[in-house]
Amino acid sequence: MKAQEEHGTVVLIAGYVIVSEDYSDDEKENIRLAASMIFGTVLQPVEVFSQNETAGPYTEERGYLEGENDVGGEVVKDFGGGVCNVATTLYNTSSVSDVEIVERHNHSMPIPYVPYGQDAAVAYGNKDFKFRNSTEHPLLIWTELVDNRLYMAFYGKESGPEITWKHDTVSATEAETVYRTNPDLPDGDENVLVKGMDGKVVDTLLEVQYEDEMVTKDLGRSVYNPLNTLIEISEKWKISKGIICDGSLLDHKKNMMPIFLKID
């Protein structure tokens, strides 16, 4: 890469890859587009990188496609669905590269492709992901989407320290199951559309092993609401299992009406 030669950023500081089986074609295109805008960015020492300033705004005019986004715990149709995958990869790459995190927001619900406490959400004009080049040399960002894998690496003049993530679960809220009838399903069949994840409150630490000492960094607390399981069932299966018409499970202890939300 020409920028690497110009700035002498030829040493791998650290890298990270996110693997997801759930990318839609539109999400893949949005991820590819955002990654291409970030690719080759060079930051001088103390310079701050902003995903929104570099890859945003996530609009049709900029080439982004319409998709589903998690906005304050509600699903809205908007352009740029999928760009949080880029923010999450940036957050993890920044963390393992031992640079300063300036701004990071977790999703309102857990995401399946990274552990609790290791995600990052962006929304143009509201939530951004930012980090500072706290090294003593220029830093170059390399990234590429290959099939369902988003690769990212930071390059500089010195390799990064050894990093260990530590997560402490403060509390957990069990995810519920939401049923939806599908008249096209054969009797007795069911189809799991979304595998739920429990809500959690998680404190995250980063152990950084330098040559002469170990330093523990507090990355803060992440709060997640449960992501409910969504299952399609046939009409006969619904009646036999006591599923009431509004789509929630008729529990013997209480009537539950859990809300299903899909996240970016």
Side-chain angles (χ1 to χ4, degrees):
M1 192 187 307
K2 185 177 180 180
Q4 279 187 296
E5 298 176 358
E6 291 178 352
H7 297 275
T9 52
V10 295
V11 177
L12 174 66
I13 301 173
Y16 199 83
V17 58
I18 281 181
V19 182
S20 176
E21 303 295 337
D22 300 324
Y23 292 149
S24 68
D25 289 342
D26 288 352
E27 286 175 331
K28 279 188 177 181
E29 175 56 25
N30 290 336
I31 294 167
R32 185 207 61 78
L33 180 59
S36 70
M37 294 180 181
I38 292 168
F39 177 87
T41 298
V42 175
L43 301 174
Q44 297 302 320
V46 309
E47 188 175 356
V48 174
F49 172 89
S50 160
Q51 175 169 319
N52 285 346
E53 291 178 5
T54 305
Y58 312 110
T59 61
E60 185 177 17
E61 291 74 21
R62 295 267 286 175
Y64 289 99
L65 303 177
E66 196 172 21
E68 291 182 339
N69 280 314
D70 170 24
V71 179
E74 295 184 3
V75 176
V76 297
K77 230 17 176 173
D78 201 1
F79 290 94
V83 296
C84 288
N85 289 262
V86 180
T88 295
T89 313
L90 275 166
Y91 176 47
N92 282 270
T93 308
S94 301
S95 297
V96 297
S97 297
D98 191 33
V99 296
E100 178 188 351
I101 307 301
V102 176
E103 180 180 349
R104 173 257 175 183
H105 307 269
N106 65 272
H107 290 81
S108 60
M109 291 176 288
I111 57 177
Y113 47 85
V114 291
Y116 289 85
Q118 289 184 220
D119 63 303
V122 291
Y124 193 83
N126 184 22
K127 298 178 181 179
D128 199 357
F129 176 74
K130 298 180 181 180
F131 74 89
R132 187 187 314 277
N133 177 11
S134 51
T135 74
E136 298 178 352
H137 309 286
L139 181 152
L140 178 141
I141 304 174
W142 174 91
T143 184
E144 185 177 5
L145 178 68
V146 180
D147 296 325
N148 64 332
R149 298 171 180 264
L150 179 60
Y151 295 90
M152 188 172 292
F154 289 176
Y155 287 87
K157 295 187 178 182
E158 297 179 356
S159 58
E162 182 179 342
I163 300 292
T164 303
W165 292 87
K166 298 289 185 180
H167 302 292
D168 178 30
T169 299
V170 179
S171 64
T173 304
E174 187 177 355
E176 297 176 339
T177 301
V178 179
Y179 293 91
R180 186 173 72 187
T181 54
N182 181 347
D184 296 326
L185 280 180
D187 289 342
D189 282 6
E190 67 176 44
N191 182 25
V192 179
L193 299 179
V194 175
K195 186 177 180 180
M197 298 178 67
D198 293 342
K200 288 186 179 181
V201 177
V202 176
D203 291 335
T204 299
L205 302 174
L206 209 62
E207 291 184 351
V208 186
Q209 180 64 64
Y210 299 107
E211 290 184 4
D212 55 350
E213 64 175 340
M214 168 81 77
V215 175
T216 300
K217 296 185 176 181
D218 185 356
L219 296 185
R221 175 168 291 185
S222 302
V223 179
Y224 303 94
N225 296 316
L227 173 63
N228 293 326
T229 297
L230 179 64
I231 301 177
E232 281 187 332
I233 58 175
S234 66
E235 185 69 22
K236 182 177 289 187
W237 195 98
K238 181 182 78 171
I239 296 172
S240 67
K241 294 296 182 180
I243 307 299
I244 57 179
C245 294
D246 61 10
S248 61
L249 179 62
L250 184 60
D251 188 69
H252 292 295
K253 297 181 180 178
K254 60 178 180 178
N255 288 336
M256 297 183 298
M257 195 178 297
I259 299 173
F260 165 72
L261 296 172
K262 182 182 178 183
I263 62 175
D264 174 28

